[in-house]
Amino acid sequence: MKKITVLLIGLLLASAGVHVNAQRIKGSDTVLPIAQQTAERFMQEDPDARVTVTGGGSGVGISALLDKTTDIAMASRSIKFGETMKAKKLGEDLTEAIIAYDALAVVVHPSNPVNQLTREQLEGIFRGKITNWKEVGGEDRKIVVYSRETSSGTYEFFKESVLKNKNYMAGSLSMPATGAIIQSVSQTKGAIGYVGLAYVSRRIKTLAVSYDGKHFAQPTLENAIDKSYPIVRPLYYYYNAQDSAKVAPLMRFILSEEGQEIIKKSGYVPVK
């Protein structure tokens, strides 16, 4: 899996008289942009700090946290029961912090005439019950379903919220990263996929979504904030409680007014 890494070089972090090592953040590709941007600003304000940010997926980040190869795990889903049990067996006490919220956009090829879908229609498409766009008011064209890989928190959340925990169709095409979904959907006329709001570009078209079949809303920052857009999820940082002093300065920054403003400008929904 391709990893995107930002390395910000400085000296060791010293805070409240506690001497700590360089901090490593790893995990969700959805959280990656805001993790990078807030870490960069954090470094600018504290030249004695060093932070490494790496993507790879929510599951990858949490596994790295349990293996002690990262200090903070980024996740676009809550920790699983099995992961919690593994942490307990390892004697690790994990702390969860919501750092932002994200709207998950359903995207299609720009030439697709369909503008909106209900949750039930999306479930039918991603479960393989609806296979042609003409069944939902579009052209007579086969639907090509793109999804994230199973280790992705985005995959998990979409399954929970949109599919109501039912299984994806066997023929869906699993993509290793959000960028791969955007590229595939932008090049395939019958395609449909889902990406975090911050990744939306002119290369793809977003669809309005309704969970009640009556009120449709586009995936925009404003609609996510006022909750009129229904596919919104929390984004998390996980870390070991024993490392609280080490990660505290960075956590305080990302949850500060300045940190949350960076998050909002990046297309995510601030916690406060």
Side-chain angles (χ1 to χ4, degrees):
M1 183 177 294
K2 184 177 180 181
K3 296 178 180 178
I4 306 172
T5 305
V6 170
L7 184 61
L8 303 163
I9 300 177
L11 301 175
L12 296 178
L13 178 65
S15 177
V18 179
H19 190 68
V20 299
N21 295 321
Q23 295 183 61
R24 301 158 298 177
I25 305 177
K26 187 180 184 69
S28 169
D29 289 332
T30 298
V31 187
L32 185 62
I34 51 176
Q36 290 174 328
Q37 292 173 43
T38 52
E40 287 171 358
R41 183 70 63 82
F42 179 67
M43 296 316 124
Q44 292 172 4
E45 298 189 4
D46 185 354
D48 293 334
R50 180 187 175 195
V51 178
T52 304
V53 184
T54 311
S58 299
V60 171
I62 292 174
S63 292
L65 182 63
L66 297 177
D67 294 340
K68 297 187 182 300
T69 55
T70 193
D71 302 300
I72 296 174
M74 304 179 284
S76 56
R77 60 161 172 82
S78 59
I79 192 168
K80 296 180 180 178
F81 177 77
E83 293 165 335
T84 300
M85 290 300 99
K86 183 178 179 180
K88 288 185 177 179
K89 287 182 180 179
L90 294 171
E92 298 181 21
D93 181 16
L94 302 186
T95 298
E96 174 186 283
I98 296 175
I99 62 163
Y101 291 88
D102 177 46
L104 202 58
V106 177
V107 297
V108 297
H109 190 273
S111 67
N112 195 322
V114 173
N115 294 314
Q116 61 186 38
L117 291 172
T118 65
R119 187 205 64 77
E120 288 79 9
Q121 288 173 322
L122 288 171
E123 179 184 321
I125 289 171
F126 281 87
R127 296 199 67 224
K129 307 298 182 182
I130 298 174
T131 59
N132 194 298
W133 283 108
K134 68 180 180 181
E135 298 177 65
V136 291
E139 301 173 326
D140 183 5
R141 187 184 298 277
K142 179 183 176 181
I143 298 175
V144 181
V145 175
Y146 287 96
S147 176
R148 288 295 308 278
E149 77 289 352
T150 57
S151 65
S152 164
T154 304
Y155 169 98
E156 294 283 353
F157 177 74
F158 193 85
K159 179 180 179 180
E160 177 185 337
S161 179
V162 179
L163 307 188
K164 299 304 178 185
N165 283 317
K166 300 182 181 73
N167 291 327
Y168 288 83
M169 63 182 287
S172 63
L173 301 173
S174 180
M175 296 288 106
T178 300
I181 286 189
I182 292 174
Q183 181 176 357
S184 298
V185 172
S186 69
Q187 296 175 348
T188 309
K189 287 189 175 181
I192 188 170
Y194 51 85
V195 300
L197 181 60
Y199 285 89
V200 169
S201 71
R202 294 181 179 179
R203 298 172 61 193
I204 41 84
K205 172 183 172 180
T206 61
L207 298 183
V209 173
S210 172
Y211 270 30
D212 63 9
K214 299 176 182 179
H215 304 95
F216 289 84
Q218 277 284 344
T220 65
L221 181 59
E222 294 74 22
N223 289 343
I225 291 174
D226 68 18
K227 296 183 171 66
S228 60
Y229 184 74
I231 316 179
V232 177
R233 57 180 171 165
L235 303 177
Y236 304 92
Y237 270 8
Y238 287 96
Y239 57 90
N240 279 297
Q242 64 187 29
D243 293 332
S244 294
K246 178 179 180 179
V247 304
L250 182 58
M251 292 303 303
R252 280 198 298 270
F253 178 79
I254 198 168
L255 293 173
S256 70
E257 184 175 344
E258 182 179 1
Q260 291 291 296
E261 184 62 26
I262 293 171
I263 285 170
K264 185 176 181 179
K265 288 182 178 179
S266 300
Y268 295 77
V269 181
V271 173
K272 50 189 176 181

